[in-house]
Amino acid sequence: HYRDSIRDVRQKFKFKDLILGRNYRYGNDSSNFHSSFSEPGIINLTGLSFNTVDGFKYALPFWYNFNDTLGHRFHANALVSYAFSRKAIYAEAGVKYRYSGIKQRWVSFSAGHVLQDFKGNNGVSPLGNSIYTLLFENNFQKFYDKQFVSAHWGTEIINGLLLKAGFQWAKRLPVTNHSDFKVIDVKNRSFTSNIPVIAGIKDWQLKRSIAVVG
């Protein structure tokens, strides 16, 4: 009865979950599957960021996980964001399914409309860029508008050796700064335009384009 009570608490919905967020867990030690669902709640301070293209942006992430004793795993995630200065809504979602636990075989799909950093995941983090922009008037991150769909597949050939394949189709659009807000106005410094400082970059590379990446 005690274990069942703990399980009920983990699964039971409460109204405050819509405000503060919650992780729900399903299944128990005797079941052949486990799953969990996370929703951020309306108050999600970690989802707040700032950049000169969007101004303040608020993001709400959701995810769901499922796995069983046979090694199957399913993961789904979604992210919805609103850019206040640009007055734009971003949304992206993806699913990944491991259909063979022995061979580590999986397939994934994703699609969305996002504001993409030119440097991808190798640039300044959103938190770091927010701090640099608001307090030091340095807008290091440069962005482009990206609408995309992608699919990927992978398998383990031998122990530790993986084979992966996939593609992505994306429509890329240039964007400009929509906000010059800052907490501290640094003397003799101002925000730079939303053009990346990359040696040898050409003007045509910053215009609207379609990309297919394998």
Side-chain angles (χ1 to χ4, degrees):
H1 177 72
Y2 178 73
R3 291 194 175 189
D4 287 344
S5 298
I6 294 178
R7 182 186 62 188
D8 292 341
V9 170
R10 291 173 178 174
Q11 298 178 3
K12 188 176 181 180
F13 169 79
K14 297 181 180 179
F15 181 77
K16 68 177 182 179
D17 298 342
L18 294 176
I19 307 297
L20 302 177
R22 176 82 179 278
N23 291 333
Y24 300 91
R25 290 182 289 173
Y26 304 92
N28 52 50
D29 294 338
S30 62
S31 65
N32 59 3
F33 76 91
H34 297 271
S35 63
S36 57
F37 171 72
S38 174
E39 54 93 4
I42 298 175
I43 300 177
N44 178 39
L45 297 181
T46 59
L48 185 64
S49 62
F50 180 87
N51 63 70
T52 52
V53 172
D54 285 336
F56 283 99
K57 183 165 71 174
Y58 195 59
L60 295 175
F62 301 84
W63 57 259
Y64 171 79
N65 284 324
F66 171 91
N67 61 82
D68 61 23
T69 55
L70 298 177
H72 300 130
R73 290 186 179 180
F74 176 81
H75 174 77
N77 64 278
L79 181 68
V80 180
S81 308
Y82 182 74
F84 288 90
S85 294
R86 196 180 173 203
K87 297 181 180 179
I89 297 176
Y90 303 112
E92 57 181 311
V95 294
K96 183 176 182 179
Y97 178 55
R98 188 173 73 183
Y99 56 91
S100 174
I102 298 176
K103 291 294 185 179
Q104 301 293 313
R105 291 173 180 166
W106 56 268
V107 62
S108 67
F109 302 93
S110 60
H113 177 197
V114 298
L115 188 72
Q116 181 69 52
D117 188 342
F118 273 97
K119 294 184 177 180
N121 296 325
N122 297 320
V124 181
S125 68
L127 176 59
N129 185 71
S130 298
I131 295 174
Y132 281 119
T133 304
L134 292 172
L135 301 182
F136 303 101
E137 208 168 343
N138 280 320
N139 54 325
F140 292 121
Q141 278 189 309
K142 307 299 178 183
F143 304 92
Y144 62 92
D145 188 282
K146 177 180 176 182
Q147 301 170 34
F148 73 95
V149 292
S150 67
H152 293 84
W153 170 86
T155 185
E156 185 178 51
I157 301 176
I158 59 175
N159 188 27
L161 180 60
L162 303 177
L163 174 65
K164 298 180 181 180
F167 82 95
Q168 181 183 97
W169 176 94
K171 180 167 71 173
R172 302 169 174 178
L173 304 171
V175 290
T176 59
N177 291 338
H178 286 72
S179 175
D180 60 357
F181 177 81
K182 77 275 294 183
V183 174
I184 298 177
D185 188 3
V186 181
K187 186 177 180 180
N188 297 325
R189 184 180 297 171
S190 59
F191 291 135
T192 56
S193 61
N194 186 54
I195 298 177
V197 181
I198 302 176
I201 196 168
K202 306 298 182 182
D203 290 340
W204 63 267
Q205 293 175 297
L206 301 176
K207 296 181 179 179
R208 176 173 178 162
S209 63
I210 300 294
V212 178
V213 182

